[in-house]
Amino acid sequence: MSRFFHGDSSSESSSSDEEELYSDEEEAEKSQEESSEADKSDNSDSDSGGEEKPSGASRFIKDAAESDDSSDEEGRKVVKSAKDKRLEELEGTIKLIENAQKINDWAVISAEFDKLNRQIPKLAQSGTTPKMYIKAIADLEDFMNETLAKQKVSLKKMNATNARGLNAVKQRIKKNNKDFTQEIEMYREDSFGFMMSDEEDEAAPVEKPKKVKNEYRAVFEDGGDEEGFSTVGKGGKALQYTPEGILKHLRVVMESRGKKNTDRSEQIRVMEKLSEVAITPYQKIRVLLALISTRFDLTAGSASYMSQEHWRLAEQEFATLLEVLESNPNMVVLENAEEWEDDEKPPTPAAGEELRIPGSIVSLVERLDDELTRSLQHIDPHTAEYIERLADEGALYTKIVRSMAYIENLSIDTKLGISQETTNRIIMRRLEHVYFKPSQVMNIMEENTWKALPASLKSQITPQAAGDIITLIHTLCTYLYQNSEGIIRARAMLCHIYFLALHDQYYRARDMMLMSHLQETISNFDVNTQILFNRTLVQVGLCAFRAGLINEAQNSLQEICGSGRQKELLAQGVMMQRYSQVTPEQERLERQRQLPFHMHINLELLECVYLTCSMLLEIPLLAQTGSSPDIKKRVISKTYRRMLEYHERQIFTGPPENTRDHVMQASKALAAGEWKKSSNFINSIKIWDLISQPEKIKTMLSEHIQEEGLRTYLFTYAPFYDTLSVGILSSMFELSERKVAAIISKMISHEELAAALDQINSAIIFRKGVELSRLQSLALTLSDKASGLIESNERTLEQKTQGTANAFERSGQRDGRGGGRGGRGGRGGRGGNRGGGESSRREGGGRQFTGGALGGTPAVKA
């Protein structure tokens, strides 16, 4: 009897039947195993019955029978080719994809699909693409489309791993299947016939070409190169570059340019060989134009920049192109020229006409300039590599001048149709390399440029004997003023102003800035032009500071330095703020607009100048408002005020460490009347050494501190004096009596000081009673605030009632509570007029209460 309890239910009976069935099968299997073991033992006994087993070392020695058996087994091994092994691997990968499709496991499908695409290139090298691969990718695409359609309809979402795998396959399979569009269409039209043709192709023997070895041998023996090798194309045939076939090879290269999986380095090597083979000037020009453009293709994308080696090669090839064009004036490169289609024979122009070749000299120069700028943006400016890269600017400037002269000569011939914009672009490029540099540097660069150019090269716009750099800038800008408009004209104006401000011509720069009215329209220009405007504005402010014009300098620098975003506004760095929502695309564009380091304006110097100017203006103003509270508080620089308040809140202030600390402590000393201490703090700032003529700047600042110290002293202590001697002030601030008298006269004329100057006795007589007492000033402040409150109250009432005058009128009497109040002198009801009716209204004299924000409610007569 079984040890399991059998119940009466049908489920228990069925399970017991299954157990009996399994137990019977197990017993049958065991009996078969025992019988097979017995047979084996019998066979082994029969085999070993006649012979004894070897013992000792002899049991490890194979006998002849065993060696024969092993050789037979080795002979039965199948040797597979590498192609067959790869096909088996491919089949295994396809099976895994099909199994994963059954369970909808897109993570496995994505991994195996990548593996499948890695296996195909090796198989495709040996022949055509396997048709099982075509079938697999076609089925996978259909399955993916079905899955996506189901996902749109179904409420249940796919898990994260499967969703990632599905998205990965979706992105890859469309790009992958583009290369096999024709085969996939054939498979979908007739899948059975497509796969049967595969079997027929495999069955048909393929004869191997035997001439390849001979061709390789012949090529090797002839020797295409110096080392005995030559370039071999498809089918083992050697590629031979001849002058007759240059245009054909060039067209093949240009057609493959920009396509996927194109080896650009190989294209460059091919075109370098074509340039060596080229004989005629037309061939050289065509090859050089294509070669330079292909070199620029190596740096596709803003994240990378052109290597110095390729840039210099492109620059040398551009110089060769200009030489060929200059030596062959009957050939011109134009943007609007038609391309020559016949590769068999070169074009032959008619007599007296130029041969027009499609291309753009100006675009190539601009691209060279942009690539150099991009490399300077990416290289660390504190390394020797940056200095070495910056040395290439001289060669680039030479090419710009040479290209400008070539475009000038072409524009003389009106038949060619050279647009004025082309000339303006190349002149603007030259101006942008000149405007921010000191005249000493540019004089040397101009001299070296004209030495490097051929003597026969002439320029009508900027002749070689043009004079100094100031004349050159004026000539270039004047040409652009006359022949351009829009952005180029505005940029030329800004470059001219920047150059004048850099060379201490403040009044000319200021007048040009005001006459241009660019400050009104700059918001309509592109970002790069706005950056140039900010740089120009800052340079004008620095120029005013060097000229000793403190007020003008502070006004110019206020907009840029007061914002706290100097780096961003001057394109000298990206400031990532905490809560800013900047997209990666915006950040990438912002980094592209950054200026190279050698074009930067020193931000520490800029901050020092701005804070110093603010100090010289704010400290006397603070003293004036402190002694005369009736004057409305006016703030010149909020940034400076915040820094000063923060510095005053500090419990302990140590010795100054940076520029900001020096200015704050100098401000504190100046406010206390210690002008010498303030002057020492300002003059000890080391950043002044970066300005030309630093001693002159320090002397100028000391004089301004003396004058502002005198004004601060008068504002602070005027209420405590009746008369004050000019001589005492002169000795206190080490100023001449004439200078002190001039300052006091200016303050009196501007009504900053309530006093009179006694020139006979050389004294200042202060007028008493003009300044208000503390109580009077507080009363005036209270009255101002009360009047402001009344005005805001009235505005609120107008907004609420929207002009309805009788909005709060009472509609009638209630319970005899209307009319005049009787009994007590006319006070009867509670709804009438206070004071006993109409006769009790207040006449003239003080202000009558009007009911606050609700206004006066009209009385209801009985």
Side-chain angles (χ1 to χ4, degrees):
M1 182 177 177
S2 174
R3 59 197 178 98
F4 296 102
F5 177 76
H6 293 276
D8 297 333
S9 64
S10 60
S11 61
E12 289 177 353
S13 62
S14 63
S15 63
S16 63
D17 294 340
E18 290 176 359
E19 288 174 3
E20 291 174 1
L21 176 63
Y22 291 148
S23 61
D24 294 339
E25 289 177 354
E26 287 175 1
E27 289 175 1
E29 288 176 359
K30 285 180 182 179
S31 61
Q32 288 177 1
E33 288 175 0
E34 288 173 359
S35 61
S36 61
E37 287 176 1
D39 293 340
K40 288 180 182 177
S41 62
D42 294 340
N43 293 334
S44 62
D45 292 341
S46 63
D47 293 338
S48 61
E51 298 178 2
E52 295 181 356
K53 290 184 179 179
S55 60
S58 61
R59 63 192 174 126
F60 297 104
I61 301 173
K62 291 184 178 180
D63 56 359
E66 289 178 351
S67 64
D68 293 339
D69 294 340
S70 63
S71 63
D72 292 341
E73 290 175 0
E74 290 175 0
R76 286 194 295 271
K77 288 180 180 178
V78 179
V79 179
K80 296 181 180 178
S81 64
K83 182 179 178 181
D84 295 338
K85 290 180 180 178
R86 291 192 186 109
L87 285 172
E88 286 184 1
E89 291 177 0
L90 189 71
E91 288 178 3
T93 307
I94 291 172
K95 285 180 181 178
L96 288 174
I97 292 175
E98 290 174 352
N99 292 336
Q101 287 178 5
K102 293 176 182 177
I103 59 174
N104 203 26
D105 189 351
W106 283 98
V108 175
I109 292 174
S110 176
E112 295 301 323
F113 182 65
D114 291 342
K115 183 180 176 183
L116 188 70
N117 290 329
R118 288 196 298 270
Q119 293 171 349
I120 279 299
K122 295 180 180 178
L123 286 167
Q125 288 176 1
S126 58
T128 58
T129 306
K131 296 191 177 180
M132 68 175 79
Y133 172 75
I134 302 296
K135 176 180 178 298
I137 60 175
D139 294 343
L140 180 59
E141 186 176 8
D142 296 339
F143 181 69
M144 180 197 70
N145 293 331
E146 291 176 6
T147 306
L148 291 173
K150 289 178 183 177
Q151 282 297 113
K152 291 179 181 178
V153 178
S154 63
L155 299 175
K156 187 178 180 181
K157 289 187 178 180
M158 191 180 287
N159 61 34
T161 308
N162 267 0
R164 282 196 297 270
L166 178 60
N167 289 331
V169 174
K170 181 182 175 183
Q171 291 172 1
R172 296 189 196 112
I173 198 166
K174 290 183 179 179
K175 296 179 182 178
N176 182 70
N177 287 10
K178 284 181 182 178
D179 299 334
F180 307 100
T181 307
Q182 187 176 358
E183 290 89 343
I184 291 172
E185 289 177 356
M186 291 171 60
Y187 168 74
R188 285 175 177 163
E189 288 174 1
D190 184 9
S191 58
F192 181 75
F194 182 80
M195 299 307 292
M196 288 300 293
S197 64
D198 186 16
E199 295 176 2
E200 292 172 3
D201 293 342
E202 289 178 359
V206 180
E207 294 184 1
K208 296 181 179 179
K210 298 181 179 179
K211 296 181 180 179
V212 176
K213 291 184 179 178
N214 297 333
E215 288 180 5
Y216 274 114
R217 189 177 301 162
V219 168
F220 182 77
E221 289 172 357
D222 294 342
D225 295 339
E226 295 178 358
E227 299 177 357
F229 296 95
S230 65
T231 306
V232 178
K234 293 181 179 179
K237 294 182 179 180
L239 293 176
Q240 295 181 358
Y241 300 113
T242 60
E244 293 78 14
I246 282 180
L247 298 179
K248 288 183 179 179
H249 290 295
L250 193 61
R251 183 173 294 278
V252 171
V253 172
M254 296 305 292
E255 286 177 354
S256 63
R257 183 182 169 194
K259 290 185 178 179
K260 190 179 178 182
N261 299 328
T262 303
D263 190 354
R264 296 188 180 93
S265 301
E266 181 63 29
Q267 287 183 337
I268 290 174
R269 284 194 291 270
V270 170
M271 283 190 283
E272 285 175 348
K273 291 181 179 179
L274 292 177
S275 65
E276 294 172 2
V277 176
I279 298 175
T280 64
Y282 176 76
Q283 292 175 346
K284 291 180 180 179
I285 292 170
R286 286 286 303 274
V287 173
L288 286 171
L289 285 171
L291 178 56
I292 297 169
S293 302
T294 308
R295 285 197 190 278
F296 291 137
D297 290 344
L298 290 173
T299 56
S302 60
S304 61
Y305 60 92
M306 197 172 184
S307 65
Q308 187 175 11
E309 178 187 359
H310 280 288
W311 189 91
R312 287 183 174 174
L313 288 172
E315 183 261 332
Q316 292 170 6
E317 289 155 2
F318 183 72
T320 307
L321 175 63
L322 290 176
E323 289 176 4
V324 174
L325 290 171
E326 289 166 359
S327 57
N328 297 275
N330 59 331
M331 297 183 182
V332 294
V333 175
L334 300 175
E335 295 181 13
N336 55 1
E338 295 182 0
E339 189 173 355
W340 184 255
E341 300 292 340
D342 191 0
D343 297 334
E344 297 293 335
K345 58 180 181 178
T348 53
E353 292 186 1
E354 291 84 1
L355 177 58
R356 304 187 180 192
I357 304 170
S360 177
I361 298 295
V362 178
S363 297
L364 295 178
V365 174
E366 289 177 339
R367 189 65 191 273
L368 277 173
D369 190 10
D370 293 341
E371 289 296 338
L372 180 62
T373 303
R374 190 185 299 177
S375 65
L376 292 173
Q377 287 173 344
H378 286 80
I379 298 173
D380 184 4
H382 305 291
T383 59
E385 183 185 2
Y386 188 89
I387 305 299
E388 183 183 358
R389 200 76 181 89
L390 191 59
D392 293 332
E393 190 182 9
L396 175 63
Y397 184 74
T398 304
K399 302 303 175 295
I400 291 174
V401 175
R402 193 168 186 174
S403 303
M404 176 180 162
Y406 176 74
I407 297 296
E408 281 182 48
N409 295 330
L410 290 184
S411 59
I412 295 173
D413 189 357
T414 56
K415 296 180 182 178
L416 297 176
I418 301 293
S419 63
Q420 185 62 46
E421 185 185 358
T422 304
T423 310
N424 294 341
R425 281 163 57 195
I426 191 69
I427 292 176
M428 193 67 225
R429 285 285 172 169
R430 184 178 181 183
L431 183 60
E432 287 177 348
H433 278 270
V434 174
Y435 79 95
F436 64 91
K437 294 177 181 174
S439 57
Q440 299 86 350
V441 176
M442 277 314 304
N443 285 328
I444 297 172
M445 184 178 282
E446 278 287 318
E447 185 180 351
N448 295 335
T449 298
W450 287 105
K451 284 181 181 178
L453 295 175
S456 59
L457 192 66
K458 303 295 180 183
S459 174
Q460 300 296 328
I461 300 175
T462 56
Q464 184 173 356
D468 58 353
I469 192 65
I470 298 175
T471 308
L472 174 66
I473 293 287
H474 180 74
T475 305
L476 293 173
C477 292
T478 305
Y479 182 88
L480 291 175
Y481 297 156
Q482 295 172 352
N483 299 283
S484 67
E485 58 184 11
I487 291 180
I488 291 183
R489 188 174 185 179
R491 290 184 69 86
M493 180 75 74
L494 291 171
C495 290
H496 199 178
I497 296 169
Y498 189 103
F499 181 81
L500 291 173
L502 186 65
H503 291 82
D504 294 331
Q505 299 185 30
Y506 169 73
Y507 291 104
R508 282 188 65 190
R510 181 201 63 183
D511 294 343
M512 286 186 66
M513 177 68 86
L514 294 175
M515 287 189 297
S516 66
H517 297 284
L518 283 172
Q519 61 272 18
E520 301 169 6
T521 59
I522 192 62
S523 58
N524 300 328
F525 290 97
D526 62 327
V527 179
N528 291 323
T529 308
Q530 292 179 21
I531 290 168
L532 180 58
F533 176 81
N534 295 338
R535 285 168 53 81
T536 305
L537 195 63
V538 165
Q539 198 60 248
V540 170
L542 293 175
C543 179
F545 176 77
R546 291 193 297 269
L549 305 171
I550 301 299
N551 201 358
E552 289 81 354
Q554 206 277 340
N555 287 335
S556 297
L557 299 177
Q558 173 67 37
E559 189 174 355
I560 304 298
C561 299
S563 64
R565 298 166 54 225
Q566 296 95 312
K567 275 188 180 181
E568 188 176 350
L569 293 174
L570 299 175
Q572 296 182 188
V574 180
M575 296 179 65
M576 300 304 296
Q577 299 179 0
R578 185 179 297 176
Y579 300 108
S580 63
Q581 295 179 353
V582 180
T583 61
E585 181 67 18
Q586 290 175 338
E587 184 179 353
R588 184 181 62 83
L589 292 174
E590 189 71 25
R591 294 191 183 278
Q592 283 182 8
R593 287 192 287 262
Q594 299 303 302
L595 293 172
F597 183 75
H598 67 282
M599 296 178 67
H600 284 193
I601 296 171
N602 194 315
L603 294 178
E604 187 178 356
L605 174 64
L606 187 62
E607 183 186 26
C608 182
V609 169
Y610 173 69
L611 292 178
T612 304
C613 294
S614 300
M615 177 194 77
L616 294 174
L617 296 176
E618 283 280 5
I619 295 299
L621 184 64
L622 286 170
Q624 184 181 8
T625 54
S627 61
S628 302
D630 56 319
I631 300 175
K632 290 184 178 180
K633 290 188 178 181
R634 182 167 61 94
V635 178
I636 295 175
S637 172
K638 291 182 179 179
T639 307
Y640 174 80
R641 286 281 181 99
R642 283 197 299 268
M643 291 181 185
L644 191 61
E645 289 171 2
Y646 176 77
H647 186 267
E648 288 176 350
R649 286 199 301 269
Q650 298 296 318
I651 299 173
F652 171 76
T653 54
E657 297 179 355
N658 51 25
T659 303
R660 190 175 296 178
D661 291 346
H662 277 86
V663 177
M664 291 300 111
Q665 295 203 14
S667 303
K668 197 172 181 181
L670 184 61
E674 300 176 353
W675 68 269
K676 286 186 178 180
K677 188 176 180 181
S678 176
S679 179
N680 291 333
F681 275 126
I682 293 295
N683 291 335
S684 62
I685 299 174
K686 296 180 181 179
I687 199 72
W688 302 126
D689 296 333
L690 299 180
I691 302 180
S692 59
Q693 300 177 346
E695 294 302 324
K696 181 181 176 182
I697 297 295
K698 291 178 182 178
T699 306
M700 179 267 295
L701 287 173
S702 298
E703 292 175 357
H704 277 283
I705 289 172
Q706 285 174 303
E707 295 174 9
E708 299 303 327
L710 172 60
R711 296 179 73 243
T712 305
Y713 182 82
L714 289 175
F715 283 135
T716 305
Y717 297 105
F720 305 101
Y721 284 101
D722 289 329
T723 59
L724 185 59
S725 173
V726 173
I728 294 175
L729 292 175
S730 175
S731 61
M732 285 176 62
F733 293 96
E734 297 182 4
L735 292 169
S736 63
E737 292 188 6
R738 187 175 180 181
K739 185 71 174 175
V740 172
I743 293 171
I744 294 170
S745 300
K746 190 176 180 180
M747 293 173 68
I748 293 171
S749 66
H750 290 173
E751 297 182 356
E752 294 175 345
L753 191 65
L757 183 61
D758 186 359
Q759 294 182 347
I760 297 173
N761 297 321
S762 185
I764 309 170
I765 302 171
F766 294 95
R767 293 200 299 268
K768 292 297 177 182
V770 178
E771 290 83 4
L772 299 175
S773 65
R774 183 69 176 166
L775 179 61
Q776 290 172 333
S777 63
L778 289 175
L780 286 173
T781 305
L782 179 62
S783 66
D784 290 340
K785 289 184 177 180
S787 61
L789 181 61
I790 291 171
E791 290 176 3
S792 63
N793 222 358
E794 291 174 355
R795 283 196 299 269
T796 305
L797 178 62
E798 289 176 1
Q799 291 176 1
K800 294 290 184 183
T801 59
Q802 295 182 356
T804 55
N806 301 323
F808 301 98
E809 184 177 359
R810 295 182 180 178
S811 57
Q813 302 174 357
R814 281 186 286 167
D815 299 332
R817 294 185 181 183
R821 295 186 180 183
R824 299 179 185 177
R827 295 194 178 190
R830 293 169 57 187
N833 299 317
R834 296 192 178 186
E838 296 286 340
S839 61
S840 64
R841 285 186 181 274
R842 210 180 299 177
E843 303 279 342
R847 298 183 66 176
Q848 185 178 356
F849 178 68
T850 58
L854 301 180
T857 56
V860 181
K861 295 180 181 180

